[in-house]
Amino acid sequence: MEEDTGALPRKENFSEWYNEILWRAEIMDVRYPVKGLYVWYPHGFGIRKRAYGILRDLMDRDHAETMFPLLIPKTEFMKEAEHIKGFEDEVYWVTHGGRNELDVPLALRPTSETAIYPMYSLWIRSHTDLPLKLYQVVNTFRYETKHTRPLIRLREITSFKEAHTVHATWEEAAAQVEVALGLYREFYDSLRVPVIVSRRPAWDKFPGADYTIAVDTVMPDGKTLQIGTVHMLGDHFSRTYAITYEDANGERQYAYQTCYGISERSIAAVISVHGDDKGVVLPPEVAPIEVVIVPIIVGKRRDEVLAAATVLEEEFRNAGFAVKLDAREMRPGAKYYHWEMRGVPLRVEVGPRDIDANTVVAVTRNGKKTTLDRRGVVEGVCSILAQFGEELSQTARQAMAGRITTASNLEEAAEVVKNGVAVVHWCGSQECAEKIEAAVDASIIGSEIRSDLIAVSDGPCIACGGNGTSALVARTY
Ligand SMILES: Nc1ncnc2c1ncn2[C@@H]1O[C@H](COS(=O)(=O)NC(=O)[C@@H](N)CS)[C@@H](O)[C@H]1O
Ligand SMILES: [Zn+2]
């Protein structure tokens, strides 16, 4: 890949910064010749791999992982009316196998309800088969007509984690929605990404769902990014796909379902929230390289320094760190620049002075320098990385808090949404939502807000003066 050249755009020019950092930090190559499809560089894929390893560990607590087919027959796809309406403009169709026209066109899954639920109908017979909680991590395809953007709005979603659960009652399904939100909070806590949870307005819920609860973060430009959604499907899909079970009294009942999804937007959030003017900044939890060792090679003591650096690398590797020794013939400063761009959380420098003093110098990606005793170096680095992770959480949380502002009328809200999220009182009516959205040129993205950064309250709707409660208004990706 091309080497680094020149300075990055400043992060305050977020859109340019974001586009440039994807190739400068070797995350994604956007030159693939199909719109909305992009290629993972190995470094970017390493971030995805660690992040989805955390996600799988969370899901594996009480879900089973599986994999359903990519191609969905039109007959199945077209069964759930609302679902179709929501996706008919986004579905890719396969119509030929070789030169033979297929008798039934096949959809590339935009999401997998219509692939999975006919099989659930075969699998679920009795209440003893419930609850059923499966998930898969697959690619899905959506013919997005809005502006596509790497990691944020793709036509091939390469890292679509979708969970689909089945329960005996509405209450159990509603409880699973809360379990899913807890998992998503834990996931984003691990990525040090602060989130706001809220209920999407009825017109924004997932097609075919009773309600949708979304997980949003606030991007550096003040726009929100939906980085996870949890849907209560009620019995809509079970009635359409005949997912029924025999209850304890031998009665046949329709099942109740949920589904919840996360995509590579989670990676976009890590890059966007934590990055700075020098490049990507990775939480240790998802860094493909946690520690890079840079030997300070000085003339005649070159071999001695390299030997010491190699021993150090071995020690970190045996302690379970993802460590890299950068022994390239290059000025140390150029190496610092290279690894800072790629977001490596910790650099360890070792040179002749360190060998004589039996120390090493540890420098975190956010610029903290510590001289460590060579003997306790592994423990020292452990606590430095833990501290670094906490600092990332705090910095990101404060940044998000700084972009959320209460607005008590339309004019104030119109100002706030230019570079942040407005918290307003809304009566909940669609009519007032349209008035508010037109007046402030932004969307009502949620109510029933759950965030320890936002004090929810009642008050007069800023459109009609009627009884309102706190709602989020923002521009969105
Ligand atoms: N075009 C896209 N590119 C990247 N991520 C996307 C795209 N469309 C949706 N997502 C992400 O995928 C998540 C789940 O998508 S969704 O439509 O809301 N929900 C579903 O598809 C349900 N079947 C849950 S699995 C969204 O919250 C969003 O974060
Ligand atoms: Zn109103």
Side-chain angles (χ1 to χ4, degrees):
M1 292 125 208
E2 305 83 73
E3 255 310 317
D4 305 336
T5 50
L8 271 177
R10 293 181 56 73
K11 193 180 175 191
E12 60 203 24
N13 310 327
F14 178 66
S15 188
E16 292 150 73
W17 175 90
Y18 181 81
N19 291 334
E20 180 135 349
I21 208 162
L22 289 181
W23 70 272
R24 296 289 292 280
E26 294 179 341
I27 308 291
M28 245 188 181
D29 192 332
V30 300
R31 292 174 296 184
Y32 192 75
V34 176
K35 180 178 161 63
L37 274 61
Y38 310 102
V39 180
W40 287 100
Y41 281 115
H43 183 57
F45 199 74
I47 301 169
R48 173 204 190 268
K49 202 166 177 176
R50 290 204 68 180
Y52 277 65
I54 294 169
L55 186 54
R56 277 194 164 91
D57 286 349
L58 287 166
M59 297 302 294
D60 290 347
R61 278 187 197 159
D62 68 350
H63 299 67
E65 181 171 5
T66 181
M67 187 169 277
F68 285 80
L70 162 66
L71 299 175
I72 304 168
K74 189 163 188 172
T75 43
E76 289 301 336
F77 191 84
M78 301 307 274
K79 272 185 182 168
E80 199 347 279
E82 245 195 280
H83 190 68
I84 308 158
K85 197 159 58 45
F87 280 105
E88 65 187 340
D89 297 339
E90 292 191 9
V91 178
Y92 284 91
W93 292 102
V94 173
T95 57
H96 285 73
R99 281 174 294 167
N100 308 318
E101 181 161 1
L102 300 176
D103 51 356
V104 177
L106 301 171
L108 292 186
R109 60 185 168 220
T111 171
S112 299
E113 285 73 11
T114 57
I116 297 174
Y117 298 172
M119 301 313 293
Y120 276 5
S121 175
L122 298 177
W123 293 354
I124 292 166
R125 323 301 310 152
S126 152
H127 64 89
T128 54
D129 299 322
L130 299 179
L132 177 64
K133 304 179 200 172
L134 305 184
Y135 76 99
Q136 62 179 9
V137 181
V138 292
N139 56 346
T140 55
F141 294 81
R142 300 186 182 192
Y143 186 67
E144 294 277 359
T145 45
K146 275 175 77 175
H147 180 64
T148 53
R149 188 186 287 261
L151 293 178
I152 289 176
R153 185 172 291 278
L154 308 104
R155 288 186 165 176
E156 175 178 5
I157 305 170
T158 67
S159 314
F160 194 73
K161 186 288 302 167
E162 50 177 324
H164 296 266
T165 70
V166 191
H167 307 269
T169 66
W170 195 93
E171 290 68 21
E172 279 178 38
Q176 186 63 30
V177 164
E178 296 306 314
V179 168
L181 287 167
L183 292 175
Y184 281 14
R185 277 186 184 286
E186 279 196 65
F187 177 57
Y188 283 111
D189 282 352
S190 299
L191 273 49
R192 312 304 187 157
V193 169
V195 299
I196 310 172
V197 174
S198 69
R199 180 178 174 135
R200 284 283 183 266
W203 54 87
D204 251 349
K205 66 183 173 28
F206 181 68
D210 261 0
Y211 60 83
T212 287
I213 298 187
V215 178
D216 292 301
T217 195
V218 184
M219 300 282 265
D221 56 4
K223 290 165 68 176
T224 58
L225 179 68
Q226 177 181 285
I227 52 176
T229 25
V230 181
H231 310 291
M232 160 58 107
L233 302 181
D235 61 358
H236 301 288
F237 283 87
S238 64
R239 289 179 180 278
T240 304
Y241 288 93
I243 303 174
T244 62
Y245 68 93
E246 197 170 285
D247 67 12
N249 312 322
E251 305 270 310
R252 193 140 288 290
Q253 306 287 355
Y254 283 109
Y256 289 85
Q257 295 173 262
T258 81
C259 64
Y260 30 104
I262 275 182
S263 77
E264 49 260 61
R265 285 190 181 177
S266 54
I267 310 302
V270 169
I271 291 167
S272 307
V273 165
H274 298 306
D276 64 15
D277 289 346
K278 293 196 289 187
V280 169
V281 178
L282 292 174
E285 293 81 354
V286 298
I289 300 170
E290 291 167 279
V291 183
V292 63
I293 298 170
V294 177
I296 311 297
I297 297 170
V298 178
K300 55 187 182 317
R301 296 186 64 181
R302 167 189 165 63
D303 295 345
E304 189 188 353
V305 169
L306 276 178
T310 307
V311 170
L312 196 56
E313 179 194 22
E314 273 310 296
E315 203 169 320
F316 279 127
R317 183 160 292 118
N318 296 339
F321 284 99
V323 60
K324 178 165 182 71
L325 164 55
D326 184 350
R328 290 178 296 171
E329 289 303 325
M330 197 191 248
R331 286 181 304 99
K335 295 182 182 181
Y336 301 166
Y337 177 88
H338 178 93
W339 298 110
E340 283 166 357
M341 178 65 75
R342 287 154 183 78
V344 174
L346 187 70
R347 169 177 87 227
V348 169
E349 300 164 15
V350 56
R353 272 204 314 280
D354 302 297
I355 295 174
D356 299 342
N358 209 12
T359 58
V360 298
V361 175
V363 185
T364 58
R365 177 61 178 77
N366 60 358
K368 289 195 171 48
K369 192 170 231 183
T370 315
T371 300
L372 288 174
D373 188 313
R374 176 70 185 78
R375 270 184 303 280
V377 69
V378 168
E379 293 72 25
V381 160
C382 277
S383 63
I384 288 172
L385 282 172
Q387 171 66 25
F388 174 70
E390 279 315 307
E391 285 167 9
L392 286 187
S393 293
Q394 282 315 315
T395 307
R397 201 179 127 77
Q398 275 140 26
M400 183 163 87
R403 289 197 192 93
I404 300 169
T405 313
T406 304
S408 46
N409 58 50
L410 292 172
E411 294 70 32
E412 279 178 24
E415 263 321 292
V416 169
V417 297
K418 284 178 182 149
N419 48 30
V421 177
V423 183
V424 305
H425 288 135
W426 170 48
C427 65
S429 77
Q430 183 152 12
E431 184 195 348
C432 284
E434 282 156 10
K435 263 192 224 152
I436 293 169
E437 293 183 348
V440 308
D441 186 22
S443 308
I444 287 200
I445 61 170
S447 55
E448 297 176 28
I449 301 164
R450 300 186 226 184
S451 163
D452 56 1
L453 293 175
I454 297 172
V456 172
S457 64
D458 295 340
C461 171
I462 60 169
C464 73
N467 295 336
T469 185
S470 296
L472 300 169
V473 181
R475 291 180 181 161
T476 66
Y477 272 92

